[in-house]
Amino acid sequence: MTAPTYRRRPVLPFRRRPVLLAAGALLTAGAVTAGVLVAGGAGAGRHARPVAGDGLRHTTVEIGTSGCGRGWTRPAAGRQVFDLRNTSATAAEAYLVDARTGAVHGEVEGLGPGTTRTLQVTLGDGSYAFTCLPDDADAVTGPTVRITGGGKVRSGPAAVPVTQQELIPPTLAYQKWIGARTVELARRTDVLRAAVDRGDLAAARAAWLPAHLVYERMGAAYGTFGDADAEIDGTTAGLSGGVRDPGFAGFHRVEFGLWHGESASSLRGPADRLAGAVHALRDSWPGRRMDPADVGLRAHEILENTVQFELTGRTDYGSGTNLATARANLDGTRALLGYLRPLLRTRATGLTGIETWMSRARHTLDAFDHDGRWTPLSRLTRAQREKVDADLGELVERLADVAALTDVRRTA
């Protein structure tokens, strides 16, 4: 696994597939997702086991190009486990879907040939089928299985997958929003550069944070910025020379100088370089295109990175404004969710909870804003620090559901 080349996007070099959510929890395939997916090792054979040691009904189901879904011959309502055995010669994915609506009740990916993994679900009355997606082969949907007589048993969480086409309109709207932010960013960065140019370092310090926070609200677009992100908001991570390294540039380079006694003359170069990068981004943005498949994941990553970098103080180069940055990141997340809300409204049962925790986190952070002077992390009491960590951490967990629901899944 290689490290990311810029600060706030610790994306793996392959696309990470989140599994569908349940009960507000989400983990990657191969882990436990409450009510939906439970990791499993080798199965216990090819025969159905009405009741296993865990007290649940187990059914062995084949996954592959031939015989997809074979083995589910005794359907029943309730909480149960499917032992999914890959009978093909390649790795495969498998979805358990509502045969009428296409909603996914559970999924397993990376199922190796000849191996078995378990899928735990709760099913009520209805029609269901397994879809098998072997690598390098077309998707195959198995026979429809009908459950009746379930009484009061209700199926667990399920969601209709989002398509690439559905994600295009909110992505375009968000791109337009980012375009307006780049104009604001250039204007505020020019104020910062002008203060440095005339040698007014007090004014430069006052102008630094408003400019920086504009950039921090644009987090979901960092991946589309390319090399501009390092030029505008790079850190010393990976630089052998640390804060003296020629590659250290952007807001944090200027921040270091402003809060560590550097002269205006020594800061003119870094301020000019920053302004140049910002103006280049503004001018080039209309020609850039965000990947619609990434926007939901970014809604989660913005605050995931906030917890990793801002709440640990790893990006503080003297201004002590990590909490202000966290607040700006929260604003950026809210903006993106606003564009995704039409898609989420019919899929995310926990959307109200996400909005509640967004408001709670905003209220917690606002308590540390004293007319534009933010409390540094080092001055938080233990109780304050724990509350900030808890509120942002809970919100990150809930936003993982957004990443799952907006992930574009293979259908053919």
Side-chain angles (χ1 to χ4, degrees), residues 205-206 208-214 216-217 255 259 306 310-311 316 318-331 360-380 384 388 392:
R205 283 188 288 271
W208 182 88
L209 184 59
H212 186 233
L213 296 185
V214 174
E216 291 293 341
R217 295 185 184 102
E255 175 190 10
W259 274 273
T306 300
E310 304 305 333
L311 299 191
D316 180 15
S319 67
T321 56
N322 287 109
L323 293 177
T325 297
R327 181 63 169 82
N329 294 161
L330 195 63
D331 287 341
R360 178 169 177 169
R362 184 175 68 247
H363 178 75
T364 296
L365 293 173
D366 283 348
F368 304 110
D369 178 10
H370 309 286
D371 295 324
R373 298 178 64 85
W374 287 78
T375 304
L377 288 173
S378 60
R379 295 183 187 174
L380 297 184
Q384 289 173 329
V388 170
L392 270 294

Side-chain angles (χ1 to χ4, degrees), residues 47-370:
H47 302 291
R49 294 171 287 152
V51 179
D54 56 12
L56 299 176
R57 177 187 181 90
H58 279 241
T59 302
T60 299
V61 174
E62 292 186 29
I63 302 298
T65 53
S66 62
C68 177
R70 187 162 55 195
W72 192 8
T73 57
R74 299 172 59 193
R79 189 180 179 196
Q80 56 196 287
V81 175
F82 292 97
D83 298 305
L84 305 183
R85 181 170 181 80
N86 184 356
T87 57
S88 69
T90 63
E93 299 178 19
Y95 304 157
L96 175 59
V97 303
D98 185 305
R100 182 179 63 85
T101 66
V104 178
H105 285 266
E107 65 181 311
V108 168
E109 67 171 342
L111 181 61
T115 63
T116 300
R117 295 259 295 283
T118 57
L119 178 67
Q120 181 177 300
V121 294
T122 299
L123 300 177
D125 288 350
S127 299
Y128 307 93
F130 277 97
T131 297
C132 306
L133 302 99
D135 288 356
D136 303 320
D138 292 338
V140 178
T141 299
T144 296
V145 174
R146 292 177 175 82
I147 295 177
T148 59
K152 295 183 179 180
V153 177
R154 299 182 62 183
S155 295
V160 176
V162 171
T163 67
Q164 182 94 353
Q165 289 70 29
E166 288 176 307
L167 286 169
I168 290 174
T171 302
L172 292 175
Y174 181 71
Q175 283 185 193
K176 184 176 180 180
W177 184 83
I178 288 292
R181 302 289 78 71
T182 64
V183 174
E184 181 185 4
L185 178 64
R187 178 175 59 81
R188 290 191 178 273
T189 304
D190 286 345
V191 173
L192 169 61
R193 176 173 58 176
V196 172
D197 283 347
R198 67 175 182 268
D200 190 345
L201 296 186
R205 283 188 288 271
W208 182 88
L209 184 59
H212 186 233
L213 296 185
V214 174
Y215 189 77
E216 291 293 341
R217 295 185 184 102
M218 301 160 65
Y222 289 159
T224 312
F225 292 169
D227 294 340
D229 184 58
E231 285 292 310
I232 294 173
D233 210 31
T235 68
T236 54
L239 301 180
S240 60
V243 294
R244 304 302 177 190
D245 195 290
F248 184 30
F251 278 110
H252 291 303
R253 170 62 186 91
V254 176
E255 175 190 10
F256 178 81
L258 287 174
W259 274 273
H260 286 85
E262 286 192 31
S263 65
S265 60
S266 68
L267 282 172
R268 287 191 181 107
D272 285 345
R273 182 176 175 182
L274 167 61
V278 165
H279 280 260
L281 175 63
R282 180 200 62 187
D283 295 343
S284 66
W285 182 250
R288 302 193 185 214
R289 294 293 179 266
M290 293 184 65
D291 184 351
D294 285 346
V295 291
L297 182 61
R298 300 293 174 254
H300 172 244
E301 283 183 340
I302 293 171
L303 291 185
E304 185 180 48
N305 281 285
T306 300
V307 171
Q308 181 180 1
F309 294 100
E310 304 305 333
L311 299 191
T312 59
R314 291 168 62 182
T315 53
D316 180 15
Y317 287 87
S319 67
T321 56
N322 287 109
L323 293 177
T325 297
R327 181 63 169 82
N329 294 161
L330 195 63
D331 287 341
T333 301
R334 181 180 291 275
L336 180 56
L337 285 178
Y339 294 109
L340 292 173
R341 187 168 286 107
L343 293 179
L344 298 174
R345 190 176 290 117
T346 57
R347 292 175 169 88
T349 57
L351 186 57
T352 300
I354 290 175
E355 292 173 343
T356 297
W357 279 93
M358 289 280 288
S359 297
R360 178 169 177 169
R362 184 175 68 247
H363 178 75
T364 296
L365 293 173
D366 283 348
F368 304 110
D369 178 10
H370 309 286

